Amino acid sequence: MSEPMIAQKAPIAVDVEAGQTYHWCACGHSKTQPFCDGSHRYTHMTPIKFVAEVSETVYFCCCKHSESKPFCDGTHAHL
């Protein structure tokens, strides 16, 4: 597999907490989108670690093609 699977063509809004670590699914196979559940072990991809600096709502990419991983940059609108 050379390309990630598109989990959905819209971002997921998540309220993150300052100081907390999150692991964003890069392969698209996780059942706990947008976060990793270990499904990547059957791919060459690995999750991206994100540590929240502030408590806020962020929009995680779910098409897996964003240039601003793990965040949505609107790429899904062109897939």
Side-chain angles (χ1 to χ4, degrees), residues 2-13:
S2 59
E3 291 288 320
M5 183 178 88
I6 296 171
Q8 70 180 37
K9 288 187 178 181
I12 293 179

Side-chain angles (χ1 to χ4, degrees), residues 52-72:
E53 293 182 15
V54 297
S55 295
E56 63 182 341
T57 300
V58 297
Y59 293 85
F60 286 102
C61 171
C62 283
C63 76
K64 310 305 176 182
H65 289 80
S66 173
E67 293 295 323
S68 301
K69 294 175 179 103
F71 308 108
C72 177

Side-chain angles (χ1 to χ4, degrees), residues 14-56:
V14 176
D15 294 327
V16 297
E17 294 183 36
Q20 292 294 311
T21 300
Y22 301 88
H23 291 89
W24 176 78
C25 168
C27 72
H29 293 276
S30 175
K31 301 292 187 231
T32 59
Q33 291 295 329
F35 304 115
C36 178
D37 69 0
S39 295
H40 66 276
R41 68 181 158 268
Y42 302 110
T43 74
H44 69 282
M45 297 172 210
T46 56
I48 293 178
K49 179 180 174 181
F50 166 70
V51 179
E53 293 182 15
V54 297
S55 295
E56 63 182 341

